[in-house]
Amino acid sequence: MAIEHISNVFKFLGGLGIFLYGMNVMGDGMQKTAGSKMNQFLGMVTDKRVLGVFLGALITAILHSSSATTVMVVGFVNAGILNLTQAVGVIMGANIGTTITAWMMSLNFLGDAFAMLQPSFFAPALAAIGVALSTFSKKTKNQTIGEIFIGMGLLFIGLTFMSGSVGPYADAPIFSEIFRVLGGNPILGILSGAVITGLVQSSTASVGILQTLAMNGSVSFAAAVYITLGQNIGTCITAVLSSTGANRTAKRAAAIHLMFNTIGAVIFGIGVYLLSFVMPEFAHGPINALQISMFHTFFNITNTLLLYPFANLLVKLSALFVKETAGESEEREESEDAVAVRHLDERIFESPAMAIEVAALEVIHMGQTTLKNVQQAIKALTHPGEVSTDEIYREEKTISRMETVLVEYLVKVDNLSLNERQKLVVNNLFYSISDIARVAAHVENLAESADYLKEHEVSISEVGRNDLEAIGENVLKAFSHSIEARRSGSMDEVRKVSQYEDVVDGMEEELREEHIRRLSNGLCETSAGVVFLDIVSNLERISDHAYNLAGYVKNEM
């Protein structure tokens, strides 16, 4: 008998492991499929919390983990991409989205009359189809669908293992006694649910364990409610741990998640405790897996409806729990490289699609910073004395630092589980960073030319300055539209870059010929002439890099 007990323990633990692995594989496959849609998340979350709730539910349904969603929210808040008001809605939605998997699992506990409909019946077939698609299909889309099928198959196979290991103990009095105690003690029931969820790092998994134990009818309604409430608190532990080392605002986001679920657990816990006195037969009666899913969904939707109007109050309460420490100040100025480091939060790696989107936003930021430097450099050449080149050099160092941070971040993103399109985008972002860095180098060359003219008291003729202003304006437009093309993904912007790049190429050739003619006629100083040609060359190369940037965007369409 002892060997049989040990075997059942191993079977239960193995089933739990297969279940968790299957859930991760399925979520990963679904995320790859929905990756392009998830990229729109950052642009859609606004101050409208209702939209945040729906998106939080959607993202969690795709990831199959509210913990993963809230960890990402902490990352977004830490990055300054979301504010606390926006984060509240997403957190509320995440709690609703996590109920989807519980409903899927409850199908596995239908009676024998519905054996054909139980996922455990066709789970091996799903896994086999998934392996076939992943192994033999050459199409990336089919391989991704295969991943989803494998994950679903493993998820239900693991659940079957767990229920099979518990089956022999269906009539064991210890289970009835445990759930009788938990059903009569709200604090103990909630605490046990929180601890189990904290250990397995997944409320979905802990709900699955509860549903498995409920199949023998020994779990009472009150005990299941208290444990489920505790599971919702326990799922906050991952986000709280993730906020360690984050900024104060991100820690407040984790605190809001914890407060939201704790307040809901207290309200429902008190309600069920009072119900146990009014209707003891109902409260201490048995509950099945389907009813657990129903309550889990009812709790999360109702809790969201109750606390949604008080979202701003939750934000204010979070400030009481996470106070500003000495030396911190929200008003302090941050350098551009610090901002780049802050925005690229690795917590967002929970969703590769969103990690790529955040990287793209930072590439755009790097491009915009470089664009301003191009403007300053052209102004330093065409309006001497109005612009200090020292500021241009400082910005160039910042851009160089941003390049380093972005490349390091993208290397890590490239090692995540990506589909073919995501790999293409990551490669193009690498190339984009390189091109923007080259533009920054040409800007530095322009600044050095401005310094040379000033130090040697050499001036470019008025005609020359007008020519530089004209070509510079077209270069700025080409580079500006290339950044906008990356931001919007618009083919119109790509075409505009091509048009301005052609104009710059024509002007560069024309200006060279005219300037050489002026040099031959003695209308321009030789030293100034050499610098002029060097400036024109650098400007033309900037437009070439703008053309490259637009080409990467076109390649992704």
Side-chain angles (χ1 to χ4, degrees), residues 285-323:
I287 187 172
N288 59 39
L290 186 61
Q291 290 169 333
I292 289 174
S293 294
M294 291 173 65
F295 173 75
H296 191 216
T297 303
F298 174 75
F299 165 72
N300 283 298
I301 292 177
T302 306
N303 194 32
T304 298
L305 292 174
L306 285 174
L307 297 181
Y308 179 84
F310 304 102
N312 289 330
L313 182 60
L314 288 174
V315 172
K316 292 178 181 177
L317 284 174
S318 68
L320 296 178
F321 289 99
V322 183
K323 297 181 179 180

Side-chain angles (χ1 to χ4, degrees), residues 240-556:
V240 170
L241 292 175
S242 174
S243 68
T244 304
N247 63 28
R248 183 180 64 260
T249 310
K251 289 176 181 176
R252 286 177 181 174
I256 289 171
H257 186 212
L258 181 59
M259 284 190 296
F260 174 71
N261 283 347
T262 302
I263 292 170
V266 170
I267 294 171
F268 273 79
I270 293 173
V272 173
Y273 187 69
L274 295 175
L275 183 67
S276 65
F277 290 103
V278 179
M279 302 174 64
E281 299 84 4
F282 176 74
H284 297 292
I287 187 172
N288 59 39
L290 186 61
Q291 290 169 333
I292 289 174
S293 294
M294 291 173 65
F295 173 75
H296 191 216
T297 303
F298 174 75
F299 165 72
N300 283 298
I301 292 177
T302 306
N303 194 32
T304 298
L305 292 174
L306 285 174
L307 297 181
Y308 179 84
F310 304 102
N312 289 330
L313 182 60
L314 288 174
V315 172
K316 292 178 181 177
L317 284 174
S318 68
L320 296 178
F321 289 99
V322 183
K323 297 181 179 180
E324 185 172 340
T325 58
E328 281 188 323
S329 174
E330 288 188 315
E331 289 74 29
R332 71 181 182 275
E333 293 184 359
E334 295 179 293
S335 62
E336 291 292 344
D337 56 330
V339 171
V341 174
R342 189 192 70 180
H343 280 197
L344 301 175
D345 197 301
E346 292 186 14
R347 295 171 183 83
I348 304 171
F349 286 171
E350 292 286 348
S351 169
M354 291 185 185
I356 293 170
E357 182 68 10
V358 170
L361 289 174
E362 284 306 314
V363 170
I364 293 166
H365 179 219
M366 180 182 176
Q368 290 169 337
T369 304
T370 306
L371 175 63
K372 292 177 183 176
N373 230 23
V374 176
Q375 291 172 323
Q376 291 295 91
I378 293 173
K379 193 172 182 180
L381 290 165
T382 57
H383 298 81
E386 292 186 17
V387 176
S388 171
T389 54
D390 291 341
E391 182 63 27
I392 296 172
Y393 295 131
R394 278 196 296 270
E395 285 297 293
E396 202 283 329
K397 288 181 181 178
T398 296
I399 294 164
S400 178
R401 172 60 181 154
M402 293 172 78
E403 177 192 11
T404 302
V405 173
L406 273 165
V407 169
E408 290 174 355
Y409 181 84
L410 279 176
V411 167
K412 294 176 183 177
V413 172
D414 197 39
N415 289 322
L416 300 177
S417 180
L418 307 175
N419 59 31
E420 286 298 316
R421 173 173 169 74
Q422 289 170 338
K423 287 182 179 294
L424 172 65
V425 173
V426 169
N427 285 337
N428 285 341
L429 289 177
F430 272 121
Y431 298 143
S432 297
I433 293 167
S434 177
D435 274 287
I436 294 171
R438 292 303 304 150
V439 169
H442 289 304
V443 171
E444 189 173 23
N445 291 342
L446 294 175
E448 289 173 353
S449 294
D451 286 341
Y452 177 88
L453 292 172
K454 182 180 179 180
E455 289 171 10
H456 293 80
E457 298 181 350
V458 176
S459 62
I460 295 174
S461 66
E462 186 176 349
V463 174
R465 286 202 301 273
N466 290 338
D467 287 342
L468 290 181
E469 200 160 4
I471 190 173
E473 183 179 348
N474 286 286
V475 168
L476 284 171
K477 287 179 179 178
F479 190 50
S480 176
H481 284 297
S482 70
I483 297 167
E484 181 59 25
R486 168 56 62 188
R487 190 195 67 79
S488 64
S490 169
M491 194 61 198
D492 286 339
E493 295 295 331
V494 172
R495 282 191 285 268
K496 287 177 182 177
V497 174
S498 181
Q499 291 168 2
Y500 283 114
E501 204 275 332
D502 287 342
V503 171
V504 171
D505 283 348
M507 290 186 71
E508 190 252 357
E509 187 174 342
E510 184 181 338
L511 291 179
R512 279 183 178 277
E513 291 176 358
E514 289 182 1
H515 195 69
I516 290 171
R517 191 179 303 114
R518 285 199 298 270
L519 284 172
S520 299
N521 295 331
L523 300 175
C524 184
E525 296 179 44
T526 304
S527 56
V530 173
V531 175
F532 180 90
L533 293 175
D534 191 46
I535 292 169
V536 171
S537 177
N538 277 286
L539 289 172
E540 191 273 333
R541 289 177 185 174
I542 290 174
S543 73
D544 285 343
H545 289 296
Y547 182 79
N548 292 344
L549 291 170
Y552 305 140
V553 177
K554 182 181 179 181
N555 189 33
E556 295 166 17

